[in-house]
Amino acid sequence: VRTLGPGREFDLLQEIFDRLGPVANGLGDDCALIDVGGRTLALSIDASVEDVHFRTDWLSFEEIGWRATAAALSDLAAVGATPIGALVSLGVMGSGKRETGSVDPVLEIMGGVGACVASVGAKVLGGDLLRSEKYLVDVAVIGTVDRAVRRGGAQAGDGLWVTGALGAAGTALEALKKKKPLSTSLRARFAHPEPRISAGRWLAVHGATAMIDISDGLAGDAAHLAAASNLALDLSLERIPCWPGVEPLAAVGSGEEYELLVALPGEFHERDAAEFHANVRLSLTRVGSCLAGTGVRFLDRGRPVEVPAGWDHFAR
Ligand SMILES: [Mg+2]
């Protein structure tokens, strides 16, 4: 039985897999992985929809294009793949429905898509343009991978590590909701997240047993990794690398971070994390351990604490 994680979204996915039956092929990871001519292709698709994933009064169209693309590329990072390119379906309102001044949303969005794709050395490979009541940016990405890291390979005894610092995206979201201005660094982080491609590749080459990108929040994505790997995770709140000014409880609930949560063998130590940092220019912090059992437990200096569940698109 495939185990995805808790929540209505995962119940629904399970029902889809059941309905598809044998025509479904290896669903439920960050990417589809397909062997072609002795190589492995990694593919993923990620839709961003106006008023669900973004608001046009919060982000420029260029930023909307970048962010949607970064979200899709982040799934390639999560399996350790090298991007080849992206295909984009773009839904925009017909002319006259919205006054946009001199800015052409289509060109601005695709400018953001192109810049994000270029930042990881990939190309825009194709797409589709359609009329839609809301802006829609649906990005399919393709890459190659030598040693794909799935969600389900973690072993009891592995350490659990996270790249970068968490909490900026949630902090930015709160500020935008309250119509408060964002600092330059917070805006850069929220509007132009960097897919962790080189980090994912380095970790895949250096023995990662399981990996997932943090799109639903560390707490939620840890639950997905635990369920897929069929083991328990203990995470230490005081070890969580937090964006300046963000409390650990907020950092572990913050979604759309696009950092990587990765299980590495117990022999992977701080000196290896220092080598990662020297190569990738990103921190790698041990936040917990993989254990026999099920579920995710958060500890605050050894004492168990309640942490709100992760993001579920169908919970509301
Ligand atoms: Mg993912």
Side-chain angles (χ1 to χ4, degrees):
V1 174
R2 176 175 302 282
T3 42
L4 293 159
R8 172 65 189 142
E9 185 174 352
F10 292 94
D11 294 344
L12 188 55
L13 288 174
Q14 186 62 59
E15 286 170 30
I16 292 170
F17 299 166
D18 294 345
R19 175 66 174 258
L20 289 172
V23 79
N25 179 49
L27 306 182
D29 224 299
D30 288 284
C31 285
L33 297 163
I34 304 164
D35 290 324
V36 179
R39 303 198 71 183
T40 303
L41 294 180
L43 299 115
S44 189
I45 187 163
D46 201 350
S48 293
V49 181
E50 183 184 4
D51 295 334
V52 177
H53 299 94
F54 62 84
R55 284 177 49 169
T56 54
D57 53 340
W58 288 357
L59 293 171
S60 73
F61 288 109
E62 187 275 342
E63 290 167 341
I64 287 164
W66 176 292
R67 235 171 154 263
T69 309
L73 289 168
S74 181
D75 281 323
L76 291 183
V79 299
T82 302
I84 296 171
L87 297 101
V88 186
S89 280
L90 196 55
V92 293
M93 276 158 275
S95 56
K97 286 202 80 175
R98 173 178 288 209
E99 188 56 59
T100 53
S102 59
V103 174
D104 185 331
V106 170
L107 298 182
E108 293 294 313
I109 291 171
M110 287 311 297
V113 169
C116 187
V117 160
S119 78
V120 297
K123 302 284 183 190
V124 176
L125 304 172
D128 187 24
L129 196 54
L130 58 132
R131 185 171 294 195
S132 162
E133 288 301 307
K134 301 263 186 189
Y135 284 103
L136 163 75
V137 190
D138 195 10
V139 184
V141 288
I142 181 168
T144 57
V145 59
D146 292 327
R147 179 185 172 273
V149 183
R150 296 168 184 271
R151 296 179 179 186
Q155 305 287 320
D158 287 351
L160 201 61
W161 302 71
V162 66
T163 63
L166 304 176
T171 304
L173 205 55
E174 286 306 309
L176 288 166
K177 282 179 183 168
K178 292 175 184 158
K179 300 190 192 308
K180 289 201 283 191
L182 301 181
S183 68
T184 307
S185 60
L186 204 56
R187 178 153 198 106
R189 169 76 183 186
F190 182 72
H192 288 108
E194 291 176 37
R196 299 306 192 192
I197 298 294
S198 53
R201 288 174 59 182
W202 192 97
L203 293 163
V205 167
H206 289 80
T209 55
M211 195 150 58
I212 188 169
D213 68 316
I214 300 175
S215 50
D216 297 347
L218 176 61
D221 289 310
H224 304 158
L225 193 147
S229 292
N230 193 28
L231 45 68
L233 303 177
D234 267 9
L235 289 97
S236 301
L237 264 189
E238 71 275 13
R239 288 176 183 239
I240 304 298
C242 296
W243 188 262
V246 178
E247 293 295 318
L249 266 181
V252 302
S254 177
E256 299 176 330
E257 291 285 339
Y258 307 120
E259 295 295 346
L260 300 175
L261 175 66
V262 56
L264 288 154
E267 309 88 78
F268 190 95
H269 290 299
E270 293 299 338
R271 63 175 175 275
D272 303 301
E275 196 193 323
F276 171 90
H277 183 265
N279 276 272
V280 182
R281 300 281 158 203
L282 192 62
S283 63
L284 183 64
T285 308
R286 180 154 182 179
V287 295
S289 299
C290 304
L291 311 154
T294 56
V296 175
R297 191 169 64 148
F298 278 90
L299 304 166
D300 188 0
R301 293 168 200 84
R303 293 225 313 262
V305 283
E306 274 307 313
V307 167
W311 183 255
D312 183 336
H313 292 273
F314 294 92
R316 294 160 303 158

